[in-house]
């Protein structure tokens, strides 16, 4: 519909924004299964909502990017999972300084985001009153921040950007990494990490009205490995997360060659020689070429 007459529909959107008549549409809520978990996906119509969300991100993303620390990796240009993998591996080169890991995440993060707190954070970066009013309208369109909106990943990153800077600059933790609400700190002292965890929990409560999930962990890196970004990181080697390997094996057994090709991207960043030897990768590539022909 829109693609058949883009000028007409884009002009309508322009008039909505200029005249301030845009109203967020009703959401369709879908349930997506991710392993044993079920996740709600809130979906808006393509026209006008998703077009407007994309336009907002296209304009504001360069401004927001300046607010983010280098070591956050979630739906950001040039900051994908494998960029994070490289950064974590580089940090682990300092074996003495990364003996222990603090791993934690925020309790029901997106559902628990306080609208007033988020609006204040957005307003610090965006001074245009019309733009902030539009952003506030989108923020208030659903409880918390709905997973599914194009703006939601940036709202999540903005919400935690102050915490990121505080951990890096005030607590002086150089080996701190975040993906969505998944937080990892590498450090040389186990006792220090327990104190740091308490400080972070207070910061979340006092400044962001958020809670830390109770499953936080402090452990030696070389005994447990750091489960982050789909990998388990040790000082001298890296493994792919077991659930990803299990999914690969299922697809291999069922000859699902096209979907299996994506696993090359996962395995090349880890130590997977044993896995490659166990499975006939030459045969796999031959099947891939035959399927593509």
């Amino acid at each position: 519909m829109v693609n058949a007459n883009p000028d007409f529909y884009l002009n309508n959107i322009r008039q909505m924004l200029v005249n301030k008549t845009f109203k967020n549409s009703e959401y369709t809520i879908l349930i997506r299964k991710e392993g044993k978990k079920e996740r709600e996906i809130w979906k808006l119509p393509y026209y006008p909502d998703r077009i407007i969300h994309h336009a907002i991100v296209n304009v504001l993303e360069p401004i927001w990017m300046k607010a983010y620390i280098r070591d956050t990796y979630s739906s950001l240009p040039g900051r994908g999972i494998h960029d994070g993998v490289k950064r974590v591996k580089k940090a682990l080169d300092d074996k003495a300084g990364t003996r222990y890991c603090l791993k934690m995440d925020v309790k029901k993060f997106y559902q628990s985001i306080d609208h007033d707190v988020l609006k204040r954070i957005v307003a610090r970066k965006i001074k245009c009153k019309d733009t902030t009013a539009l952003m506030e309208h989108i923020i208030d369109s659903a409880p918390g921040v709905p997973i599914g909106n194009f703006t939601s990943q940036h709202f999540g990153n903005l919400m935690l950007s102050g915490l990121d800077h505080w951990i890096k600059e005030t607590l002086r933790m150089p080996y701190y990494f975040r993906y969505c609400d998944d937080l990892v700190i590498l450090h040389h002292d186990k006792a220090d990490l327990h104190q740091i965890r308490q400080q972070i929990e207070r910061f979340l409560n006092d400044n962001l009205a958020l809670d830390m999930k109770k499953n936080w962990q402090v452990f030696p890196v070389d005994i447990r490995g750091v489960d982050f970004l789909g990998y388990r990181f040790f000082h001298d080697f890296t493994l792919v997360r077991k659930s990803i390997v299990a999914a690969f094996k299922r697809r291999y057994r069922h000859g699902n060659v096209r979907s299996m090709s994506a696993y090359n991207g996962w395995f090349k960043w880890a130590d997977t020689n044993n896995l490659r030897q166990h499975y006939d990768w030459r045969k796999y590539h031959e099947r891939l070429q035959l399927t593509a022909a």
Side-chain angles (χ1 to χ4, degrees), residues 50-100:
R50 282 155 57 196
I51 295 174
I52 289 174
H53 285 224
H54 275 261
I56 289 169
V57 172
N58 286 343
V59 173
L60 298 184
E61 187 175 65
I63 298 171
W64 290 335
M65 286 294 293
K66 295 175 183 177
Y68 303 147
I69 63 168
R70 176 65 181 84
D71 288 307
T72 181
Y73 314 94
S74 178
S75 300
L76 302 178
R79 303 272 193 92
I81 286 175
H82 295 130
D83 178 60
V85 170
K86 288 188 287 186
R87 300 277 295 179
V88 172
K89 284 185 173 183
K90 184 177 179 182
L92 288 169
D93 286 341
D94 178 7
K95 292 186 178 182
T98 59
R99 291 178 60 205
Y100 295 95

Side-chain angles (χ1 to χ4, degrees), residues 22 52 75 100 210-211 221:
F22 168 70
I52 289 174
S75 300
Y100 295 95
L210 293 170
D211 294 312
V221 169

Side-chain angles (χ1 to χ4, degrees), residues 84-192:
V85 170
K86 288 188 287 186
R87 300 277 295 179
V88 172
K89 284 185 173 183
K90 184 177 179 182
L92 288 169
D93 286 341
D94 178 7
K95 292 186 178 182
T98 59
R99 291 178 60 205
Y100 295 95
C101 175
L102 166 61
K103 192 172 187 299
M104 56 203 153
D105 58 338
V106 180
K107 182 179 179 181
K108 296 182 179 178
F109 175 53
Y110 286 102
Q111 304 98 305
S112 301
I113 288 178
D114 183 282
H115 287 188
D116 291 334
V117 175
L118 178 57
K119 288 175 187 176
R120 287 198 297 270
I121 293 171
V122 168
R124 289 179 200 148
K125 290 292 176 184
I126 308 300
K127 302 305 179 185
C128 171
K129 291 182 179 180
D130 289 344
T131 304
T132 54
L134 175 61
M135 302 285 282
E136 289 177 0
H137 175 70
I138 292 171
I139 290 169
D140 287 335
S141 68
V145 168
I147 297 171
N149 279 357
F150 195 56
T151 49
S152 292
Q153 289 286 358
H154 275 291
F155 285 154
N157 280 326
L158 286 167
M159 190 74 179
L160 295 179
S161 63
L163 173 68
D164 295 339
H165 283 281
W166 179 75
I167 291 173
K168 284 276 194 181
E169 296 154 17
T170 302
L171 297 185
R172 298 183 180 277
M173 294 291 108
Y175 303 136
Y176 164 69
F177 308 90
R178 179 172 65 79
Y179 183 84
C180 295
D181 63 318
D182 216 3
L183 286 64
V184 164
I185 298 178
L186 304 173
H187 192 53
H188 68 276
D189 189 275
K190 184 178 180 179
D192 282 355

